[in-house]
Amino acid sequence: METTKRKVVIYCRVSTQEQTTENQKIRLVDYAQRQGWTYEVFEETMSSRKTRPIKQHVLTMLRQKEYDTLLLFKLDRWARSTQELILEFTELYNKNINIISVSDNIDLSTATGKLQFQILSAFAEFERNLIVERTMEGLHRARLQGK
Protein backbone atom coordinates (compact mmCIF):
# COMPACT_ATOMS: atom_id res chain seq x y z
CA MET A 1 0.00 0.00 0.00
CA GLU A 2 1.41 3.38 -1.03
CA THR A 3 1.87 5.93 1.71
CA THR A 4 1.66 8.98 -0.56
CA LYS A 5 -1.84 10.47 -0.64
CA ARG A 6 -2.78 11.22 -4.22
CA LYS A 7 -5.62 13.20 -5.72
CA VAL A 8 -6.57 11.15 -8.76
CA VAL A 9 -8.71 11.83 -11.79
CA ILE A 10 -10.14 8.67 -13.34
CA TYR A 11 -11.00 8.92 -17.03
CA CYS A 12 -13.13 6.26 -18.73
CA ARG A 13 -14.15 6.35 -22.40
CA VAL A 14 -16.09 4.21 -24.85
CA SER A 15 -16.72 4.97 -28.49
CA THR A 16 -20.39 4.08 -28.96
CA GLN A 17 -23.69 4.38 -27.14
CA GLU A 18 -23.95 0.57 -27.15
CA GLN A 19 -20.82 0.29 -25.00
CA THR A 20 -20.53 1.13 -21.33
CA THR A 21 -17.72 2.54 -19.20
CA GLU A 22 -18.87 0.44 -16.26
CA ASN A 23 -16.17 -2.26 -16.51
CA GLN A 24 -13.42 0.35 -16.77
CA LYS A 25 -14.87 2.32 -13.86
CA ILE A 26 -15.16 -0.73 -11.57
CA ARG A 27 -11.50 -1.68 -12.08
CA LEU A 28 -10.18 1.87 -11.76
CA VAL A 29 -12.21 2.79 -8.69
CA ASP A 30 -11.13 -0.47 -7.05
CA TYR A 31 -7.49 0.31 -7.88
CA ALA A 32 -7.73 3.85 -6.43
CA GLN A 33 -9.53 2.62 -3.31
CA ARG A 34 -6.92 -0.09 -2.66
CA GLN A 35 -4.25 2.62 -2.79
CA GLY A 36 -6.21 4.84 -0.41
CA TRP A 37 -6.36 7.67 -2.95
CA THR A 38 -8.94 10.44 -3.24
CA TYR A 39 -10.48 10.28 -6.71
CA GLU A 40 -13.11 11.65 -9.05
CA VAL A 41 -14.48 9.75 -12.05
CA PHE A 42 -15.13 11.27 -15.47
CA GLU A 43 -16.83 9.23 -18.19
CA GLU A 44 -17.11 9.89 -21.91
CA THR A 45 -19.38 8.02 -24.30
CA MET A 46 -19.64 8.16 -28.07
CA SER A 47 -16.91 10.69 -28.71
CA SER A 48 -15.21 11.40 -31.99
CA ARG A 49 -11.58 12.15 -32.73
CA LYS A 50 -12.21 15.88 -32.64
CA THR A 51 -14.88 16.21 -29.96
CA ARG A 52 -14.06 14.79 -26.58
CA PRO A 53 -15.29 17.51 -24.24
CA ILE A 54 -14.93 15.44 -21.07
CA LYS A 55 -11.32 14.59 -21.92
CA GLN A 56 -10.60 18.26 -22.64
CA HIS A 57 -12.10 19.18 -19.27
CA VAL A 58 -9.96 16.56 -17.51
CA LEU A 59 -6.86 17.77 -19.37
CA THR A 60 -7.58 21.35 -18.27
CA MET A 61 -7.94 20.28 -14.64
CA LEU A 62 -4.66 18.35 -14.84
CA ARG A 63 -2.91 21.36 -16.39
CA GLN A 64 -4.20 23.48 -13.51
CA LYS A 65 -2.87 20.87 -11.05
CA GLU A 66 -6.28 20.13 -9.55
CA TYR A 67 -5.16 16.47 -9.59
CA ASP A 68 -1.71 14.93 -9.37
CA THR A 69 -2.49 11.61 -11.08
CA LEU A 70 -4.36 10.50 -14.20
CA LEU A 71 -5.69 6.94 -13.87
CA LEU A 72 -6.74 5.14 -17.06
CA PHE A 73 -7.95 1.67 -17.92
CA LYS A 74 -5.89 1.57 -21.14
CA LEU A 75 -3.79 4.08 -23.04
CA ASP A 76 -6.08 3.89 -26.07
CA ARG A 77 -8.94 5.17 -23.90
CA TRP A 78 -7.08 8.48 -23.60
CA ALA A 79 -5.71 9.03 -27.10
CA ARG A 80 -6.61 7.89 -30.56
CA SER A 81 -3.12 8.27 -31.98
CA THR A 82 0.39 7.69 -30.71
CA GLN A 83 1.28 11.29 -31.51
CA GLU A 84 -1.63 12.64 -29.44
CA LEU A 85 -0.71 10.33 -26.58
CA ILE A 86 2.97 11.29 -26.57
CA LEU A 87 2.34 15.05 -26.83
CA GLU A 88 -0.21 15.16 -24.04
CA PHE A 89 1.58 12.71 -21.75
CA THR A 90 4.87 14.57 -22.21
CA GLU A 91 3.16 17.81 -21.23
CA LEU A 92 1.57 16.21 -18.15
CA TYR A 93 4.77 14.40 -17.20
CA ASN A 94 6.69 17.69 -17.40
CA LYS A 95 4.09 19.18 -15.01
CA ASN A 96 4.79 16.33 -12.55
CA ILE A 97 1.40 14.72 -13.19
CA ASN A 98 1.67 10.96 -12.74
CA ILE A 99 -0.03 8.75 -15.31
CA ILE A 100 -1.12 5.19 -14.62
CA SER A 101 -2.64 2.81 -17.15
CA VAL A 102 -3.90 -0.22 -15.22
CA SER A 103 -4.39 -2.67 -18.12
CA ASP A 104 -1.14 -1.65 -19.83
CA ASN A 105 0.69 -1.94 -16.47
CA ILE A 106 2.31 1.47 -16.94
CA ASP A 107 3.01 3.83 -14.06
CA LEU A 108 5.12 6.84 -15.03
CA SER A 109 6.23 7.34 -11.43
CA THR A 110 8.36 4.18 -11.68
CA ALA A 111 11.64 3.61 -13.52
CA THR A 112 9.99 0.87 -15.61
CA GLY A 113 7.06 3.11 -16.49
CA LYS A 114 9.41 5.90 -17.56
CA LEU A 115 11.35 3.46 -19.75
CA GLN A 116 8.15 2.17 -21.36
CA PHE A 117 7.07 5.74 -22.10
CA GLN A 118 10.48 6.62 -23.57
CA ILE A 119 10.30 3.57 -25.84
CA LEU A 120 6.78 4.55 -26.92
CA SER A 121 8.03 8.09 -27.58
CA ALA A 122 10.94 6.80 -29.65
CA PHE A 123 8.61 4.73 -31.82
CA ALA A 124 6.27 7.69 -32.27
CA GLU A 125 9.19 9.90 -33.35
CA PHE A 126 10.41 7.17 -35.70
CA GLU A 127 6.93 6.93 -37.24
CA ARG A 128 6.78 10.72 -37.73
CA ASN A 129 10.24 10.71 -39.34
CA LEU A 130 9.23 7.94 -41.76
CA ILE A 131 6.15 9.93 -42.78
CA VAL A 132 8.30 13.04 -43.40
CA GLU A 133 10.77 11.00 -45.47
CA ARG A 134 8.00 9.46 -47.58
CA THR A 135 6.40 12.86 -48.11
CA MET A 136 9.72 14.38 -49.21
CA GLU A 137 10.36 11.46 -51.59
CA GLY A 138 6.88 11.86 -53.07
CA LEU A 139 7.38 15.60 -53.57
CA HIS A 140 10.78 14.99 -55.17
CA ARG A 141 9.31 12.39 -57.54
CA ALA A 142 6.46 14.76 -58.45
CA ARG A 143 8.94 17.58 -59.23
CA LEU A 144 10.97 15.21 -61.43
CA GLN A 145 7.76 14.36 -63.27
CA GLY A 146 7.02 18.07 -63.77
CA LYS A 147 4.14 18.24 -61.34
Side-chain angles (χ1 to χ4, degrees):
M1 180 83 79
E2 185 175 306
T3 57
T4 305
K5 199 72 161 157
R6 292 189 185 181
K7 189 168 180 194
V8 177
V9 61
I10 294 174
Y11 178 75
C12 306
R13 182 181 66 79
V14 292
S15 301
T16 69
Q17 289 286 3
E18 293 77 36
Q19 296 173 318
T20 177
T21 59
E22 201 58 32
N23 289 335
Q24 293 176 41
K25 186 165 78 170
I26 289 168
R27 289 242 343 250
L28 295 172
V29 166
D30 178 62
Y31 186 93
Q33 287 176 344
R34 281 186 284 120
Q35 302 301 321
W37 296 336
T38 302
Y39 62 88
E40 190 171 354
V41 178
F42 292 85
E43 300 172 75
E44 192 142 51
T45 302
M46 205 173 132
S47 59
S48 71
R49 179 179 282 272
K50 297 196 191 291
T51 59
R52 288 180 275 161
I54 305 296
K55 177 193 171 189
Q56 289 309 312
H57 178 64
V58 167
L59 194 51
T60 298
M61 290 187 303
L62 288 164
R63 286 173 173 146
Q64 294 171 350
K65 301 246 183 180
E66 293 179 37
Y67 298 91
D68 57 36
T69 301
L70 170 62
L71 184 59
L72 305 165
F73 183 69
K74 260 186 110 149
L75 295 177
D76 69 354
R77 299 297 80 206
W78 180 260
R80 296 242 170 106
S81 72
T82 307
Q83 186 173 10
E84 176 187 355
L85 181 79
I86 298 302
L87 288 172
E88 291 174 350
F89 277 14
T90 299
E91 176 191 358
L92 295 174
Y93 180 78
N94 289 337
K95 292 183 183 294
N96 294 316
I97 303 294
N98 189 40
I99 301 161
I100 299 171
S101 174
V102 173
S103 291
D104 297 310
N105 200 26
I106 293 176
D107 180 343
L108 293 189
S109 71
T110 67
T112 302
K114 288 173 188 169
L115 174 63
Q116 290 170 313
F117 184 68
Q118 289 167 345
I119 291 168
L120 245 170
S121 297
F123 277 109
E125 182 178 346
F126 176 67
E127 181 182 9
R128 281 192 304 275
N129 289 338
L130 286 178
I131 291 168
V132 167
E133 284 179 7
R134 288 185 202 122
T135 301
M136 298 305 288
E137 289 170 6
L139 291 171
H140 179 70
R141 186 187 74 249
R143 277 192 296 277
L144 290 175
Q145 295 173 345
K147 297 179 184 174

